Amino acid sequence: MRVVLVGAGNVATHLGLALKNAGHEIAQVYSRTSISSSALANLLETESCTSLDSLQAADLFVYSLTDNALEGVLSEMTQTAGIHVHTAASVDLSVFADRFENYGVFYPLQTFSKEKEINFKQVPVFVEANTAETTAFLKELASALTDKVYVAGSEQRIKLHVAAVFACNFTNYFYTIASEIIEKEGIPFDILKSLIEETASKINFLSPYEAQTGPARRNDTVTMEKHLGMIENENYNMLYRQISQLIADKYKC
Amino acid sequence: MRVVLVGAGNVATHLGLALKNAGHEIAQVYSRTSISSSALANLLETESCTSLDSLQAADLFVYSLTDNALEGVLSEMTQTAGIHVHTAASVDLSVFADRFENYGVFYPLQTFSKEKEINFKQVPVFVEANTAETTAFLKELASALTDKVYVAGSEQRIKLHVAAVFACNFTNYFYTIASEIIEKEGIPFDILKSLIEETASKINFLSPYEAQTGPARRNDTVTMEKHLGMIENENYNMLYRQISQLIADKYKC
């Protein structure tokens, strides 16, 4: 199948690689900036372009853009045949309505960075489309890339995304806060890695509710006050106070 | 070596097992409540007791208590010979001063739950003591249990603990928030597990600063506003707004 990638970021990179590995032809990579489009086009050994007017015809157009950028690109889209899908968790299927005949959503629930390889077989993919036929097509397409294919409506997908922001994006930000705190003490971040690994692995054996530990879980007010006295960054101090209170409240009753 | 465990919680359980497996004799388990002390004493095939007056003599006393409880127990302590160590991250070594001749800290940096087995060999242990001789003794003791032994002062240890609260306790709480959000939609929490695993694994390849993804990282205001409109729980809504703002600010400059 001939695929055009519209967007050249983290998701486009990993999905493009997975599609290519599954035997599809990546006909072209579009990005607004030539650095991004060339980099991904080189990686996928295909053509790059920076103008929507130069887009080729294809069987499948995959839009992996920030939600802010998607509507602008769609309004200038020149190719209307083929199946058009976006990969955005939080954009409704209806963004495509009245523009194309066949369209859908192909949302891979994972954190992608260009620099980090991924085993796509383990990535859950949520599909949705405007017709039963296109839904079936996207399910089949996804099944060639991953063992975890689901159909989900736009409302469910956005809830999944909110959950993923807490479980992944905010969690990773807390790794950053932790690294700042200990690196300031001259302790390498590496020392926290087995703790982080165990925290993530534990929920395969216990629910996260059961897995909770720490001063707030024990309502250990002496420790929490000591910690607050040591956290100089006022934003981190505020987060520590609020989240500890929420945990303590949850386990008190 | 004869060891008495003072406390029978998560840390006492895992450390007691590790000490026993390393060939030490667990002579006794003390806890204020007989249910806790008996449970751990049974697991370790030893005696339990609920009164500090009945404590036996030992080479090593290990205090694994909430920080709130430790001082009370110490003031009633009947056995003063031997080496006395606590396992608390955020309690200063000086808590033992003028009480015993030999004392120290033996802090395992890990999240322990009784129900979840652990590979103690991978647990970093931070030791500190009142004399060089006792420090050397604790280093040797720790080296039999784990490959990761460090010496850290009380000030450094508390900073490590603050970092661990962010990297582990708060992270796990966010898994709980995520599970509540999707289970309300009838989606099992399992669907987030490969995302959580990848988030934790990614930092072995990238710094957490580099590994950051998500709407706040991209300053994708459209998505963030959509999410805020969908998060009914006002505490979770507040956390989403604050943390997103902090991430967006960090990557804007």
Side-chain angles (χ1 to χ4, degrees), chain A residues 31-156:
Chain A
S31 171
R32 207 164 33 88
T33 62
S34 66
I35 294 177
S36 304
S37 60
S38 312
L40 183 53
N42 284 343
L43 183 70
L44 298 172
E45 298 169 314
T46 186
E47 276 179 38
S48 72
C49 86
T50 56
S51 155
L52 291 165
D53 294 330
S54 338
L55 281 191
Q56 299 175 10
D59 304 303
L60 178 70
F61 294 85
V62 180
Y63 302 78
S64 303
L65 301 161
T66 64
D67 300 7
N68 296 356
L70 180 61
E71 290 215 42
V73 166
L74 286 179
S75 67
E76 292 174 39
M77 191 63 191
T78 48
Q79 296 287 350
T80 55
I83 295 173
H84 297 250
V85 298
H86 72 68
T87 60
S90 295
V91 176
D92 205 278
L93 174 67
S94 62
V95 74
F96 290 126
D98 305 326
R99 297 187 194 276
F100 313 116
E101 206 169 318
N102 293 302
Y103 54 86
V105 179
F106 192 98
Y107 168 52
L109 175 65
Q110 189 51 282
T111 168
F112 296 107
S113 293
K114 285 178 190 167
E115 307 80 1
K116 165 73 170 69
E117 279 188 42
I118 206 125
N119 175 7
F120 213 96
K121 281 268 162 222
Q122 292 301 312
V123 177
V125 169
F126 295 84
V127 301
E128 180 187 12
N130 68 320
T131 66
E133 201 186 336
T134 305
T135 304
F137 166 84
L138 292 178
K139 279 173 75 173
E140 201 187 320
L141 178 73
S143 300
L145 311 187
T146 170
D147 299 330
K148 300 177 177 177
V149 181
Y150 307 90
V151 176
S154 294
E155 177 95 7
Q156 250 193 342

Side-chain angles (χ1 to χ4, degrees), chain B residues 193-215:
Chain B
K193 286 184 178 168
S194 54
L195 175 68
I196 287 172
E197 200 177 300
E198 174 66 14
T199 306
S201 144
K202 229 174 156 179
I203 53 160
N204 292 307
F205 303 88
L206 300 171
S207 72
Y209 180 84
E210 295 164 329
Q212 189 67 50
T213 58

